[in-house]
Amino acid sequence: MMENVHLAPETDEDDLYSGFNDYNPAYDTEELENDTGFQQAVRTSHGRRPPVTAKIPSTAVSRPIATGYGSKTSLASSMGRPMTGTIQDGVARPMTAVRAAGFSKAALRGSAFDPLGQSRGPAPPLEAKNEDSPEEKIRQLEKKVNELVEESCIANSCGDLKLALEKAKDAGRKERVLVRQREQVTTPENINLDLTYSVLFNLASQYSANEMYAEALNTYQVIVKNKMFSNAGRLKVNMGNIYLKQRNYSKAIKFYRMALDQIPSVHKEMRIKIMQNIGITFIKTGQYSDAINSFEHIMSMAPNLKAGFNLILSCFAIGDREKMKKAFQKLIAVPLEIDEDDKYISPSDDPHTNLLVEAIKNDHLRQMERERKAMAEKYIMTAAKLIAPVIESSFAVGYNWCVEVVKASQYVELANDLEINKAITYLRQKDFNQAVDTLKMFEKKDSRVKSAAATNLSFLYYLENEFAQASSYADLAVNSDRYNPSALTNKGNTVFANGDYEKAAEFYKEALRNDSSCTEALYNIGLTYKKLNRLDEALDSFLKLHAILRNSAQVLCQIANVYELMEDPNQAIEWLMQLISVVPTDSQALSKLGELYDSEGDKSQAFQYYYESYRYFPSNIEVIEWLGAYYIDTQFCEKAIQYFERASLIQPTQVKWQLMVASCFRRSGNYQKALDTYKEIHRKFPENVECLRFLVRLCTDIGLKEVQEYATKLKRLEKMKEMREQRIKSGRDSGGGSRSKREGSAGSDSGQSNSASSKSERLSAKLRALPGTDEPYESSSNKEIDASYVDPLGPQIERPKTAAKKRIDEDDFADEELGDDLLPE
């Protein structure tokens, strides 16, 4: 075993730690500053050559270097090769390496160390683009075309359609130039089809917006026929819309169907919209059965409110009761897809939650939800009012069916509104008892419905001049809803009718505080201030109302009347001129203008407006009398005859008009015609003294034999007249007094024959008192106070209207016509 064990010899063995103090003199760094070769390598690229491989034999002679002891030994490479750039035999060896960046041969000549080349100065400028190159020209032209298309779209959105069309045409011209240049430079495959499509589409849209339909259709045809444009077939919808505007319904349906065939089924929403257009076009052509098929398909695939409402209209047109009921049920079942109101009620007292709820309570999404709900309620209410009278034997049964369907749906709150509309329908049919009974059913309902019903009841009783009942229900409406402006207005009207103008003004003010847009309260408070002779406040109220209702004839005439009461005829004339610009055929306004000009002494202007008033309403006795007196005053008695003859036709029992006709014949020198007229008057009115006096005078002047007969009759009548007067004074015969009164009403022609100017002055004084200080100038608008009622759909206000609009419009959703009646003075 020990044979294999060898002990380490103790002599002639190497030291384990020997050699660590031996090092290559090349690593001696203490004498580098004095080493000429090293310093030369630092200043030049001498020492930057890559290391050579071992295959290259060493041919250089090593040079001595300085060591730590001052001796110089040869510094060789790792392969024994001397470093490049060393000086051998007094001659510098040339460099063989690639010159590195930042170094130059100038360093060998003693230049400063500049590795970044900062001494060379700034870099030369970039090479300028060659703008004359075809590619650059095409690029600039393409940019210009895009800018023109954008400018055209912006001009269209701003409403400047002509500028938008000009920009679109300019873009089309430049795009064609661009295409030609591209064809010369590149292959046709490189043409920008998207730019061409956008230019043509924008041009067609601008043609259509400017109602240049032929040009728009031609441009759309260019796009549709080009097979290189993808999805161009969809533009046939736009072509169908143009044909629909041109009322070419057959072509519109054809293009709608072509577009429908080219749109894939995955685009469901687009297909539904096109089918809805097809259904509407069928309605316009009277093909209601085809329209029903289109809308029924829509309601089965993607039900929406408009399609459901149009389906009801189509079924109503063909009179199919069952289909109307089914369509109404489908309309009721359309999902609104909106959040419940409970979402906007904070469930806790957490301030952060409350802030969040307040933030979303009136944001854009909430407003959109309100609009969508309001639109749904409008469609449902309109459809119910449309079909209720026809789906059953009577409209009451039909309304009851609609109410039951609505109660079973998500629109429960509309049931009460339908009941109120039922009462309004009774009003239209003049069945006031049924209307009152229907409205009285709401007395035990919630406060909002109770207030609406009580307001309408107050309105009804007010129209029937039952002011006690009207006041009672107005109080009920106000107590149920103190913030109902219509209820407050009606309460003010009842107080106004009782003559308590100060209290009425307080109710009108409260109504305005609750709703500043309540035009009835603002109008009535102006009338109240007129009654209280507070003309400045009345004028302020009517001017505010004029700012809201710019073209209201009633407001304009009230402003003119207030200025007249303030003795400012110039302002009154100015506002009356605005009035006749709104209602140019209002004879009463024209006659009032004539009266004001007459009071100012401008007879020619007065005659012009009186004559215009006579043309539009030739039965106004005051206007006829003024025109006749005007012609007599200007010595044109022949022209005055036609006016007095018309007056005698209007008032055949008034002898004065026939006497004035005879007087005009006498003044014009036609004595025979005058004599015949007096004889006719004497035949009709044998007890008229004035007629007999002129008969005696004419017969005497002409020398007729009948003079003695007429003189005898005249004396007998005068004696009878004296006897009547004596009996009146004594009071023994009341019947005689009535006869003398009738005779006195006949008038006298002697004063007119003596002085025509005195007659004209009397007429002017009479006309200045017309119309009454509180009466509007419209011929048929002799009532003032607005009575308000509650409309279930819109705001509960009623706007004053002109006399020409006093009718019930079946197409109006908000039954505002009931508030037209005004309280007479």
Side-chain angles (χ1 to χ4, degrees), residues 554 778 780-784 786 800-809 817-822:
Q554 288 180 326
E778 291 86 358
S780 57
S781 298
N782 58 351
K783 301 178 181 181
E784 292 184 331
D786 277 350
K801 295 180 177 63
T802 59
K805 293 187 178 179
K806 289 189 177 180
R807 66 183 186 277
I808 292 180
D809 188 359
E817 297 79 5
L818 298 178
D820 289 341
D821 295 278
L822 308 175

PDB file of all heavy atoms in Angstrom, residues 554 778 780-784 786 800-809 817-822:
ATOM      1  N   GLN A 554    -102.838  91.358 -31.443  1.00  0.00           N
ATOM      2  CA  GLN A 554    -103.475  91.873 -30.241  1.00  0.00           C
ATOM      3  C   GLN A 554    -102.513  92.719 -29.424  1.00  0.00           C
ATOM      4  O   GLN A 554    -102.879  93.769 -28.900  1.00  0.00           O
ATOM      5  CB  GLN A 554    -104.000  90.713 -29.397  1.00  0.00           C
ATOM      6  CG  GLN A 554    -105.223  90.038 -29.992  1.00  0.00           C
ATOM      7  CD  GLN A 554    -105.725  88.898 -29.126  1.00  0.00           C
ATOM      8  OE1 GLN A 554    -104.925  88.217 -28.494  1.00  0.00           O
ATOM      9  NE2 GLN A 554    -107.024  88.687 -29.118  1.00  0.00           N
ATOM     10  N   GLU A 778    -108.988  95.198 -33.881  1.00  0.00           N
ATOM     11  CA  GLU A 778    -109.482  94.205 -34.821  1.00  0.00           C
ATOM     12  C   GLU A 778    -111.000  94.223 -34.834  1.00  0.00           C
ATOM     13  O   GLU A 778    -111.638  94.404 -33.799  1.00  0.00           O
ATOM     14  CB  GLU A 778    -109.007  92.800 -34.457  1.00  0.00           C
ATOM     15  CG  GLU A 778    -107.533  92.580 -34.652  1.00  0.00           C
ATOM     16  CD  GLU A 778    -106.742  93.007 -33.454  1.00  0.00           C
ATOM     17  OE1 GLU A 778    -107.331  93.513 -32.497  1.00  0.00           O
ATOM     18  OE2 GLU A 778    -105.524  92.850 -33.487  1.00  0.00           O
ATOM     19  N   SER A 780    -113.181  91.913 -35.102  1.00  0.00           N
ATOM     20  CA  SER A 780    -113.883  90.881 -34.347  1.00  0.00           C
ATOM     21  C   SER A 780    -113.231  90.578 -33.014  1.00  0.00           C
ATOM     22  O   SER A 780    -113.566  89.610 -32.369  1.00  0.00           O
ATOM     23  CB  SER A 780    -113.950  89.597 -35.179  1.00  0.00           C
ATOM     24  OG  SER A 780    -112.669  89.192 -35.535  1.00  0.00           O
ATOM     25  N   SER A 781    -112.289  91.363 -32.588  1.00  0.00           N
ATOM     26  CA  SER A 781    -111.591  91.100 -31.324  1.00  0.00           C
ATOM     27  C   SER A 781    -112.082  92.094 -30.282  1.00  0.00           C
ATOM     28  O   SER A 781    -111.389  93.049 -29.956  1.00  0.00           O
ATOM     29  CB  SER A 781    -110.081  91.208 -31.504  1.00  0.00           C
ATOM     30  OG  SER A 781    -109.636  90.255 -32.400  1.00  0.00           O
ATOM     31  N   ASN A 782    -113.277  91.884 -29.786  1.00  0.00           N
ATOM     32  CA  ASN A 782    -113.842  92.810 -28.814  1.00  0.00           C
ATOM     33  C   ASN A 782    -113.789  92.249 -27.408  1.00  0.00           C
ATOM     34  O   ASN A 782    -114.514  92.668 -26.543  1.00  0.00           O
ATOM     35  CB  ASN A 782    -115.275  93.158 -29.197  1.00  0.00           C
ATOM     36  CG  ASN A 782    -116.144  91.924 -29.296  1.00  0.00           C
ATOM     37  OD1 ASN A 782    -115.630  90.817 -29.248  1.00  0.00           O
ATOM     38  ND2 ASN A 782    -117.441  92.117 -29.430  1.00  0.00           N
ATOM     39  N   LYS A 783    -112.941  91.248 -27.198  1.00  0.00           N
ATOM     40  CA  LYS A 783    -112.804  90.665 -25.883  1.00  0.00           C
ATOM     41  C   LYS A 783    -111.347  90.726 -25.489  1.00  0.00           C
ATOM     42  O   LYS A 783    -110.470  90.679 -26.319  1.00  0.00           O
ATOM     43  CB  LYS A 783    -113.296  89.217 -25.884  1.00  0.00           C
ATOM     44  CG  LYS A 783    -114.759  89.091 -26.313  1.00  0.00           C
ATOM     45  CD  LYS A 783    -115.182  87.641 -26.334  1.00  0.00           C
ATOM     46  CE  LYS A 783    -116.629  87.520 -26.775  1.00  0.00           C
ATOM     47  NZ  LYS A 783    -117.074  86.126 -26.770  1.00  0.00           N
ATOM     48  N   GLU A 784    -111.090  90.753 -24.185  1.00  0.00           N
ATOM     49  CA  GLU A 784    -109.736  91.056 -23.781  1.00  0.00           C
ATOM     50  C   GLU A 784    -109.090  90.009 -22.898  1.00  0.00           C
ATOM     51  O   GLU A 784    -108.033  89.506 -23.208  1.00  0.00           O
ATOM     52  CB  GLU A 784    -109.712  92.409 -23.059  1.00  0.00           C
ATOM     53  CG  GLU A 784    -110.022  93.562 -23.994  1.00  0.00           C
ATOM     54  CD  GLU A 784    -109.890  94.885 -23.299  1.00  0.00           C
ATOM     55  OE1 GLU A 784    -110.101  94.932 -22.086  1.00  0.00           O
ATOM     56  OE2 GLU A 784    -109.570  95.855 -23.969  1.00  0.00           O
ATOM     57  N   ASP A 786    -107.627  86.876 -21.227  1.00  0.00           N
ATOM     58  CA  ASP A 786    -107.349  85.507 -21.674  1.00  0.00           C
ATOM     59  C   ASP A 786    -107.701  84.526 -20.573  1.00  0.00           C
ATOM     60  O   ASP A 786    -107.233  84.649 -19.447  1.00  0.00           O
ATOM     61  CB  ASP A 786    -105.852  85.348 -22.001  1.00  0.00           C
ATOM     62  CG  ASP A 786    -105.554  85.839 -23.389  1.00  0.00           C
ATOM     63  OD1 ASP A 786    -106.524  86.109 -24.108  1.00  0.00           O
ATOM     64  OD2 ASP A 786    -104.383  85.955 -23.730  1.00  0.00           O
ATOM     65  N   PRO A 800    -102.194  84.406 -26.587  1.00  0.00           N
ATOM     66  CA  PRO A 800    -103.254  85.128 -27.298  1.00  0.00           C
ATOM     67  C   PRO A 800    -103.072  85.003 -28.788  1.00  0.00           C
ATOM     68  O   PRO A 800    -101.965  84.941 -29.296  1.00  0.00           O
ATOM     69  CB  PRO A 800    -103.057  86.582 -26.830  1.00  0.00           C
ATOM     70  CG  PRO A 800    -101.663  86.644 -26.361  1.00  0.00           C
ATOM     71  CD  PRO A 800    -101.300  85.289 -25.861  1.00  0.00           C
ATOM     72  N   LYS A 801    -104.182  84.955 -29.515  1.00  0.00           N
ATOM     73  CA  LYS A 801    -104.132  84.793 -30.956  1.00  0.00           C
ATOM     74  C   LYS A 801    -104.986  85.856 -31.604  1.00  0.00           C
ATOM     75  O   LYS A 801    -105.831  86.473 -30.972  1.00  0.00           O
ATOM     76  CB  LYS A 801    -104.644  83.403 -31.375  1.00  0.00           C
ATOM     77  CG  LYS A 801    -103.772  82.258 -30.871  1.00  0.00           C
ATOM     78  CD  LYS A 801    -104.344  80.939 -31.325  1.00  0.00           C
ATOM     79  CE  LYS A 801    -103.461  79.799 -30.897  1.00  0.00           C
ATOM     80  NZ  LYS A 801    -103.352  79.674 -29.461  1.00  0.00           N
ATOM     81  N   THR A 802    -104.770  86.087 -32.886  1.00  0.00           N
ATOM     82  CA  THR A 802    -105.580  87.032 -33.625  1.00  0.00           C
ATOM     83  C   THR A 802    -106.937  86.430 -33.920  1.00  0.00           C
ATOM     84  O   THR A 802    -107.147  85.227 -33.809  1.00  0.00           O
ATOM     85  CB  THR A 802    -104.895  87.402 -34.952  1.00  0.00           C
ATOM     86  OG1 THR A 802    -104.723  86.204 -35.700  1.00  0.00           O
ATOM     87  CG2 THR A 802    -103.540  88.014 -34.686  1.00  0.00           C
ATOM     88  N   ALA A 803    -107.860  87.299 -34.340  1.00  0.00           N
ATOM     89  CA  ALA A 803    -109.215  86.827 -34.572  1.00  0.00           C
ATOM     90  C   ALA A 803    -109.270  85.825 -35.702  1.00  0.00           C
ATOM     91  O   ALA A 803    -110.106  84.937 -35.731  1.00  0.00           O
ATOM     92  CB  ALA A 803    -110.122  88.012 -34.888  1.00  0.00           C
ATOM     93  N   ALA A 804    -108.376  85.931 -36.677  1.00  0.00           N
ATOM     94  CA  ALA A 804    -108.405  85.038 -37.828  1.00  0.00           C
ATOM     95  C   ALA A 804    -108.040  83.617 -37.472  1.00  0.00           C
ATOM     96  O   ALA A 804    -108.241  82.713 -38.258  1.00  0.00           O
ATOM     97  CB  ALA A 804    -107.457  85.550 -38.902  1.00  0.00           C
ATOM     98  N   LYS A 805    -107.498  83.393 -36.296  1.00  0.00           N
ATOM     99  CA  LYS A 805    -107.043  82.058 -35.922  1.00  0.00           C
ATOM    100  C   LYS A 805    -107.946  81.408 -34.883  1.00  0.00           C
ATOM    101  O   LYS A 805    -107.540  80.498 -34.197  1.00  0.00           O
ATOM    102  CB  LYS A 805    -105.606  82.118 -35.393  1.00  0.00           C
ATOM    103  CG  LYS A 805    -104.604  82.488 -36.465  1.00  0.00           C
ATOM    104  CD  LYS A 805    -103.198  82.379 -35.943  1.00  0.00           C
ATOM    105  CE  LYS A 805    -102.191  82.708 -37.030  1.00  0.00           C
ATOM    106  NZ  LYS A 805    -100.820  82.626 -36.553  1.00  0.00           N
ATOM    107  N   LYS A 806    -109.176  81.879 -34.732  1.00  0.00           N
ATOM    108  CA  LYS A 806    -110.070  81.300 -33.738  1.00  0.00           C
ATOM    109  C   LYS A 806    -110.743  80.071 -34.309  1.00  0.00           C
ATOM    110  O   LYS A 806    -111.854  80.127 -34.818  1.00  0.00           O
ATOM    111  CB  LYS A 806    -111.108  82.316 -33.302  1.00  0.00           C
ATOM    112  CG  LYS A 806    -110.518  83.438 -32.459  1.00  0.00           C
ATOM    113  CD  LYS A 806    -111.601  84.288 -31.878  1.00  0.00           C
ATOM    114  CE  LYS A 806    -111.012  85.357 -30.974  1.00  0.00           C
ATOM    115  NZ  LYS A 806    -112.035  86.195 -30.382  1.00  0.00           N
ATOM    116  N   ARG A 807    -110.043  78.957 -34.286  1.00  0.00           N
ATOM    117  CA  ARG A 807    -110.603  77.702 -34.754  1.00  0.00           C
ATOM    118  C   ARG A 807    -109.873  76.577 -34.042  1.00  0.00           C
ATOM    119  O   ARG A 807    -108.825  76.780 -33.468  1.00  0.00           O
ATOM    120  CB  ARG A 807    -110.425  77.558 -36.263  1.00  0.00           C
ATOM    121  CG  ARG A 807    -108.972  77.436 -36.681  1.00  0.00           C
ATOM    122  CD  ARG A 807    -108.839  77.369 -38.184  1.00  0.00           C
ATOM    123  NE  ARG A 807    -107.488  77.124 -38.572  1.00  0.00           N
ATOM    124  CZ  ARG A 807    -106.558  78.043 -38.675  1.00  0.00           C
ATOM    125  NH1 ARG A 807    -106.847  79.286 -38.422  1.00  0.00           N
ATOM    126  NH2 ARG A 807    -105.327  77.743 -39.063  1.00  0.00           N
ATOM    127  N   ILE A 808    -110.439  75.409 -34.109  1.00  0.00           N
ATOM    128  CA  ILE A 808    -109.814  74.225 -33.502  1.00  0.00           C
ATOM    129  C   ILE A 808    -109.067  73.494 -34.581  1.00  0.00           C
ATOM    130  O   ILE A 808    -109.635  73.066 -35.575  1.00  0.00           O
ATOM    131  CB  ILE A 808    -110.869  73.335 -32.843  1.00  0.00           C
ATOM    132  CG1 ILE A 808    -111.444  74.066 -31.635  1.00  0.00           C
ATOM    133  CG2 ILE A 808    -110.279  72.008 -32.440  1.00  0.00           C
ATOM    134  CD1 ILE A 808    -112.496  73.282 -30.905  1.00  0.00           C
ATOM    135  N   ASP A 809    -107.749  73.384 -34.402  1.00  0.00           N
ATOM    136  CA  ASP A 809    -106.889  72.738 -35.380  1.00  0.00           C
ATOM    137  C   ASP A 809    -106.646  71.302 -34.939  1.00  0.00           C
ATOM    138  O   ASP A 809    -106.024  71.051 -33.915  1.00  0.00           O
ATOM    139  CB  ASP A 809    -105.561  73.503 -35.473  1.00  0.00           C
ATOM    140  CG  ASP A 809    -104.702  72.999 -36.613  1.00  0.00           C
ATOM    141  OD1 ASP A 809    -105.126  72.064 -37.316  1.00  0.00           O
ATOM    142  OD2 ASP A 809    -103.621  73.539 -36.785  1.00  0.00           O
ATOM    143  N   GLU A 817    -106.297  76.134 -28.595  1.00  0.00           N
ATOM    144  CA  GLU A 817    -107.300  76.999 -29.182  1.00  0.00           C
ATOM    145  C   GLU A 817    -108.380  77.372 -28.184  1.00  0.00           C
ATOM    146  O   GLU A 817    -109.108  78.327 -28.395  1.00  0.00           O
ATOM    147  CB  GLU A 817    -107.950  76.320 -30.396  1.00  0.00           C
ATOM    148  CG  GLU A 817    -106.967  76.044 -31.531  1.00  0.00           C
ATOM    149  CD  GLU A 817    -106.123  74.807 -31.280  1.00  0.00           C
ATOM    150  OE1 GLU A 817    -106.366  74.125 -30.276  1.00  0.00           O
ATOM    151  OE2 GLU A 817    -105.229  74.527 -32.078  1.00  0.00           O
ATOM    152  N   LEU A 818    -108.533  76.602 -27.101  1.00  0.00           N
ATOM    153  CA  LEU A 818    -109.615  76.864 -26.175  1.00  0.00           C
ATOM    154  C   LEU A 818    -109.403  78.146 -25.398  1.00  0.00           C
ATOM    155  O   LEU A 818    -110.330  78.637 -24.779  1.00  0.00           O
ATOM    156  CB  LEU A 818    -109.752  75.686 -25.206  1.00  0.00           C
ATOM    157  CG  LEU A 818    -110.111  74.353 -25.869  1.00  0.00           C
ATOM    158  CD1 LEU A 818    -110.159  73.272 -24.824  1.00  0.00           C
ATOM    159  CD2 LEU A 818    -111.439  74.470 -26.580  1.00  0.00           C
ATOM    160  N   GLY A 819    -108.225  78.689 -25.402  1.00  0.00           N
ATOM    161  CA  GLY A 819    -107.955  79.892 -24.630  1.00  0.00           C
ATOM    162  C   GLY A 819    -108.132  81.166 -25.401  1.00  0.00           C
ATOM    163  O   GLY A 819    -107.713  82.212 -24.956  1.00  0.00           O
ATOM    164  N   ASP A 820    -108.743  81.096 -26.596  1.00  0.00           N
ATOM    165  CA  ASP A 820    -108.855  82.302 -27.406  1.00  0.00           C
ATOM    166  C   ASP A 820    -109.935  83.250 -26.899  1.00  0.00           C
ATOM    167  O   ASP A 820    -109.925  84.429 -27.203  1.00  0.00           O
ATOM    168  CB  ASP A 820    -109.173  81.927 -28.854  1.00  0.00           C
ATOM    169  CG  ASP A 820    -107.978  81.280 -29.532  1.00  0.00           C
ATOM    170  OD1 ASP A 820    -106.862  81.459 -29.034  1.00  0.00           O
ATOM    171  OD2 ASP A 820    -108.177  80.610 -30.528  1.00  0.00           O
ATOM    172  N   ASP A 821    -110.940  82.732 -26.202  1.00  0.00           N
ATOM    173  CA  ASP A 821    -112.052  83.572 -25.791  1.00  0.00           C
ATOM    174  C   ASP A 821    -111.592  84.547 -24.733  1.00  0.00           C
ATOM    175  O   ASP A 821    -110.884  84.202 -23.790  1.00  0.00           O
ATOM    176  CB  ASP A 821    -113.184  82.708 -25.240  1.00  0.00           C
ATOM    177  CG  ASP A 821    -113.758  81.829 -26.326  1.00  0.00           C
ATOM    178  OD1 ASP A 821    -114.593  82.320 -27.086  1.00  0.00           O
ATOM    179  OD2 ASP A 821    -113.339  80.660 -26.418  1.00  0.00           O
ATOM    180  N   LEU A 822    -112.022  85.777 -24.900  1.00  0.00           N
ATOM    181  CA  LEU A 822    -111.620  86.845 -24.006  1.00  0.00           C
ATOM    182  C   LEU A 822    -112.855  87.407 -23.314  1.00  0.00           C
ATOM    183  O   LEU A 822    -113.983  87.301 -23.807  1.00  0.00           O
ATOM    184  CB  LEU A 822    -110.895  87.944 -24.777  1.00  0.00           C
ATOM    185  CG  LEU A 822    -109.728  87.458 -25.642  1.00  0.00           C
ATOM    186  CD1 LEU A 822    -109.176  88.610 -26.434  1.00  0.00           C
ATOM    187  CD2 LEU A 822    -108.666  86.853 -24.774  1.00  0.00           C
TER     188      LEU A 822
END
